[in-house]
Amino acid sequence: MTDTSGQIDHVLNEDRTFPPPAEFTEKAVFSSKSQYDEACKRASEDRDGFWKEEAEKHLHWFEPFNQVCRWDAPNVEWFVGGKTNASYNCLDRHVEAGRGDRTAILWEGEPGDTRCLSYAELRTEVAKCAAALQELGIGTGDVVSVYMPMTPELAIIMLACARIGAVHSVIFAGFSAESIADRNNDAKAKLVVTADGLHRRGKVLPLKETVDEALAKSPTVEKCLVLRRVGQDGVAMQEGRDVWWHDVVDKQSGDLPAKPLDSETTLFILYTSGSTGKPKGIRHTTAGYNLWAMRTFQWVFDHREEDVYWCTADCGWITGHSYIVYGPLSAGATCLMYEGAPNHPAEDRFWDLVEKYKVTTLYTAPTAIRAFIKWGDEHVEKHDLSSLRLLGSVGEGINPEAWMWYHEKIGYENCPIVDTWWQTETGGIMMSPLPGITATKPGSCTTPLPGIVPKIVDEAGKPVQQNNGGMLCIAEPWPGMLRGIWGDEERFVEQYWSTVPGMYLTGDNARQDEDGYYWIMGRIDDVINVSGHRLSTIEVESALVSHEAVCEAAVVGRPDDLKGQAIAAFVTIRDREPDDALRTELRQHVRKQIGALAQPDDLRFAATLPKTRSGKIMRRLLRDVASGREIGGDTSTLEDFSVIAKLSEDE
Ligand code: WTA
């Protein structure tokens, strides 16, 4: 289980450490090591006392909670008996504190159109949208699927759901109709919110058409709310089912109050890939998640009043949920939101935005950084990036080369880099440097945040020695932890809580060095990380096998300079020639089944798949083949693994 061969090998250069700049050691939220140590000590010795104080101070309560944490692994409840509302915490309380004029969202569309929404304006829009949801028959506990471009309305619909206790399930707008239908059906969604289209690299993607295809297979969905974003002509609107956003939202009064909701009311579900074929709906609840997103945002990004913060993620992923919407807005931050591609109209778009909006805090992904390196420094050098004071990274380990480039070219060597390790399941950042106190080492996510107790254990559940790899687990509950998998309690227990009893199993491998710093070493399961997106190899295999020409398929990750990992597929076929036409057809098929992000980068035909004597596909061998470490050769011919299979011992 702890086999990490085939994962990206980082060139570790642990000798280089970068101390926090003086500006941070003086002013940051955590500006001294003793302050951090004290918070960690308090959180571990008096967990309830620590979180009681945090929750009382940083969330608004309609009714106070009477118990801080009810923990009976794997079940947990936080702030039991309390009533709060995430939309209220993100909007109303700032407006009521006289900060309604402060800019909440600065938005730029890919074609260059712009919008600016103050906290007061955003609250009005959210209240209108929430009233429209009610008019469409949505109430507390109903699931709303959201398949939208990165427009302010995406944040608005999320917060509108939160306002009335509806459960949002955001589906990244790159997923296929099949994937949308699967998610609608699993969640029993009642409403789908979408747009006529999406701008991407100068083209328009017809989102509503994709949704129509999905709705033909989504029996629980009653209505579809459609935003006019691109002004596409001829959008088919089905009578009685489809409604335009401007017809139903704009006419509302905008004064619908936030509903007091029990702390453990489901705030959202977000589908992510696990080690089996079917994506799982990770369930997060109101109070604990909200507090965790907010406090981790303030701690890690050292949030200050004058900041212009930009997280380049899409709201279709957890990073967008926690660090575009719930975290920063709860903290009253001014957030830049951008709709499109980083290389449209040119490769300097991000740097143009940083300069134009005087962004102070930039949170992006290593895969993007590697693309910028490839595109050339001239695109960066054209712009004045001196407004930046802090840089963040998320989604996968950042390789030291990319780290150094980010540090030198973007940070002008004086911005701390926070390499944040976390997961959809953890709700928010778990390990990260704190910019005022942590000396950083390129490639390490350094140390846990207060209240987080990581353990690295072997297969028997025993702690491993320093610098040895092992399974990364979390021993104590934290407010932002997942509460379950939507509709699948058994899988929740099986997946996260049965390997090491009493501890949350992250699915990542890690080691801890002599300074106590953590280094993430990749996954222990069949999850691959392609451009920071999580995919299960089995999910892609199932998509391939659903094509009539495919008998068997095996999918593995292989190292890729840009994406971190690329998808390599091996298939055996029937009744067809193994030619380029079929290869293209199969790649298209996966695209249609899951989405473009799952399309195999390499697709090889094999006469047989190499298997152990017990019939298990030899993934380690395929990873070697896929990364060119063995065999290789002409990919248009059939690969014959039969000899190897016969010679090899069981894995
Ligand atoms: C990986 C994204 C190394 C890891 C927030 C994790 C990372 C998975 C890092 C979660 C990091 C994320 N260093 N690996 N800083 N951040 N990962 O659910 O394997 O999309 O388990 O959440 O991404 O991906 P997810």
Side-chain angles (χ1 to χ4, degrees), residues 2-305:
T2 46
D3 166 34
T4 54
S5 60
Q7 307 284 359
I8 323 152
D9 297 321
H10 293 315
V11 186
L12 305 178
N13 183 358
E14 289 181 43
D15 301 337
R16 291 204 73 171
T17 58
F18 295 80
E23 196 265 337
F24 284 85
T25 54
E26 283 154 22
K27 291 200 224 144
V29 179
F30 278 106
S31 52
S32 71
K33 178 83 169 47
S34 58
Q35 199 189 348
Y36 164 79
D37 289 341
E38 177 58 32
C40 293
K41 188 162 171 264
R42 184 91 210 285
S44 87
E45 287 172 2
D46 177 18
R47 183 173 69 209
D48 284 6
F50 179 81
W51 289 113
K52 178 175 190 285
E53 205 176 294
E54 285 284 321
E56 283 175 350
K57 202 160 152 197
H58 298 287
L59 293 184
H60 166 85
W61 294 96
F62 294 102
E63 281 177 34
F65 50 90
N66 47 44
Q67 189 179 351
V68 177
C69 179
R70 194 180 283 161
W71 170 233
D72 178 16
N75 299 311
V76 73
E77 286 171 76
W78 282 93
F79 313 119
V80 185
K83 285 200 191 310
T84 184
N85 183 295
S87 151
Y88 189 95
N89 289 320
C90 288
L91 305 168
D92 301 65
R93 63 169 161 167
H94 304 310
V95 177
E96 280 160 27
R99 305 171 78 244
D101 289 340
R102 193 176 153 76
T103 301
I105 296 179
L106 283 165
W107 175 81
E108 188 159 313
E110 195 185 74
D113 44 341
T114 60
R115 277 167 71 188
C116 174
L117 286 156
S118 68
Y119 273 91
E121 288 163 340
L122 187 61
R123 178 177 71 162
T124 303
E125 291 305 315
V126 167
K128 280 183 174 177
C129 183
L133 288 177
Q134 288 185 334
E135 193 179 308
L136 294 171
I138 299 300
T140 305
D142 288 333
V143 177
V144 176
S145 289
V146 179
Y147 187 73
M148 295 267 282
M150 275 290 286
T151 51
E153 285 79 5
L154 175 44
I156 289 168
I157 190 80
M158 291 165 75
L159 291 164
C161 288
R163 201 162 185 86
I164 59 171
V167 178
H168 59 73
S169 164
V170 184
I171 304 168
F172 173 63
F175 279 112
S176 67
E178 288 291 330
S179 294
I180 304 170
D182 285 349
R183 286 157 173 74
N184 284 344
N185 292 329
D186 187 78
K188 300 194 173 54
K190 243 176 116 175
L191 172 75
V192 174
V193 186
T194 189
D196 56 348
L198 159 79
H199 292 286
R200 192 76 186 172
R201 283 198 189 90
K203 294 208 184 90
V204 164
L205 304 184
L207 293 191
K208 175 65 165 52
E209 274 177 28
T210 309
V211 166
D212 282 341
E213 214 183 308
L215 290 186
K217 298 178 191 165
S218 311
T220 60
V221 176
E222 293 165 13
K223 300 262 184 226
C224 179
L225 178 61
V226 190
L227 174 77
R228 182 168 286 154
R229 162 64 188 130
V230 296
Q232 180 103 325
D233 286 336
V235 175
M237 296 292 280
Q238 186 176 309
E239 182 81 41
R241 185 194 72 184
D242 302 348
V243 232
W244 285 109
W245 180 290
H246 52 262
D247 284 340
V248 62
V249 177
D250 293 358
K251 66 177 186 191
Q252 309 290 340
S253 70
D255 53 11
L256 186 83
K259 184 173 176 183
L261 297 168
D262 193 86
S263 293
E264 285 297 331
T265 306
T266 300
L267 178 62
F268 66 85
I269 49 180
L270 183 58
Y271 283 85
T272 188
S273 294
S275 48
T276 63
K278 200 169 147 270
K280 50 196 176 181
I282 303 299
R283 189 169 76 86
H284 283 288
T285 58
T286 301
Y289 169 83
N290 195 169
L291 181 68
W292 187 242
M294 175 181 173
R295 295 301 283 151
T296 53
F297 171 77
Q298 291 170 319
W299 292 341
V300 173
F301 297 103
D302 178 39
H303 178 63
R304 300 180 196 174
E305 189 74 17

Side-chain angles (χ1 to χ4, degrees), residues 318 395-397 419-424 508 520 523 529 534:
I318 190 69
E396 61 182 302
D419 174 358
T420 63
W421 174 83
W422 59 295
Q423 312 177 292
T424 304
D508 279 340
I520 305 294
R523 299 283 304 191
N529 191 326
R534 256 168 86 164

Side-chain angles (χ1 to χ4, degrees), residues 269-537:
I269 49 180
L270 183 58
Y271 283 85
T272 188
S273 294
S275 48
T276 63
K278 200 169 147 270
K280 50 196 176 181
I282 303 299
R283 189 169 76 86
H284 283 288
T285 58
T286 301
Y289 169 83
N290 195 169
L291 181 68
W292 187 242
M294 175 181 173
R295 295 301 283 151
T296 53
F297 171 77
Q298 291 170 319
W299 292 341
V300 173
F301 297 103
D302 178 39
H303 178 63
R304 300 180 196 174
E305 189 74 17
E306 63 278 13
D307 278 341
V308 175
Y309 162 86
W310 182 23
C311 167
T312 69
D314 189 287
C315 285
W317 311 113
I318 190 69
T319 305
H321 282 58
S322 305
Y323 299 109
I324 294 179
V325 181
Y326 292 108
L329 296 178
S330 292
T334 294
C335 307
L336 176 64
M337 190 172 173
Y338 169 60
E339 179 188 40
N343 54 353
H344 189 82
E347 282 76 6
D348 68 338
R349 187 66 187 267
F350 271 24
W351 317 120
D352 181 53
L353 287 162
V354 168
E355 183 174 10
K356 180 169 168 189
Y357 293 97
K358 300 202 169 29
V359 172
T360 59
T361 315
L362 177 69
Y363 191 28
T364 194
T367 185
I369 297 168
R370 291 190 298 263
F372 298 133
I373 297 174
K374 188 177 149 218
W375 292 337
D377 293 354
E378 64 273 22
H379 301 294
V380 175
E381 284 159 5
K382 263 197 256 175
H383 296 280
D384 174 9
L385 308 180
S386 58
S387 57
L388 288 169
R389 66 177 194 92
L390 177 62
L391 304 174
S393 170
V394 62
E396 61 182 302
I398 176 166
N399 46 311
E401 299 71 22
W403 198 102
M404 287 308 298
W405 185 89
Y406 202 26
H407 173 70
E408 287 165 10
K409 299 289 171 191
I410 308 302
Y412 299 168
E413 297 187 17
N414 58 24
C415 300
I417 296 180
V418 291
D419 174 358
T420 63
W421 174 83
W422 59 295
Q423 312 177 292
T424 304
E425 292 87 340
T426 68
I429 298 166
M430 302 289 276
M431 293 201 244
S432 170
L434 290 167
I437 58 172
T438 316
T440 49
K441 298 184 191 184
S444 168
C445 59
T446 75
T447 49
L449 296 183
I452 301 306
V453 185
K455 298 266 187 245
I456 302 177
V457 300
D458 63 17
E459 272 159 49
K462 291 214 185 66
V464 300
Q465 299 283 313
Q466 191 179 77
N467 270 317
N468 284 356
M471 299 186 287
L472 176 63
C473 296
I474 311 290
E476 297 287 332
W478 68 101
M481 68 198 289
L482 80 164
R483 300 298 195 265
I485 294 178
W486 189 254
D488 202 343
E489 187 62 25
E490 213 177 298
R491 189 171 172 197
F492 170 62
V493 175
E494 226 273 329
Q495 176 110 33
Y496 302 108
W497 302 95
S498 58
T499 313
V500 187
M503 287 196 219
Y504 166 75
L505 181 78
T506 66
D508 279 340
N509 255 314
R511 70 180 174 89
Q512 195 179 18
D513 72 14
E514 52 291 346
D515 295 323
Y517 280 28
Y518 288 83
W519 299 76
I520 305 294
M521 297 160 65
R523 299 283 304 191
I524 57 175
D525 52 18
D526 292 324
V527 170
I528 50 176
N529 191 326
V530 183
S531 301
H533 301 151
R534 256 168 86 164
L535 276 172
S536 132
T537 53

Side-chain angles (χ1 to χ4, degrees), residues 546-588:
S546 73
H547 189 283
E548 64 206 7
V550 176
C551 300
E552 252 191 327
V555 168
V556 294
R558 66 148 171 85
D560 181 89
D561 286 347
L562 273 184
K563 298 177 169 187
Q565 281 186 296
I567 306 173
F570 296 82
V571 294
T572 62
I573 50 172
R574 62 183 151 224
D575 307 331
R576 284 283 293 268
E577 284 303 310
D579 53 17
D580 278 342
L582 181 60
R583 181 174 291 118
T584 309
E585 193 178 317
L586 294 179
R587 295 179 76 230
Q588 283 294 336

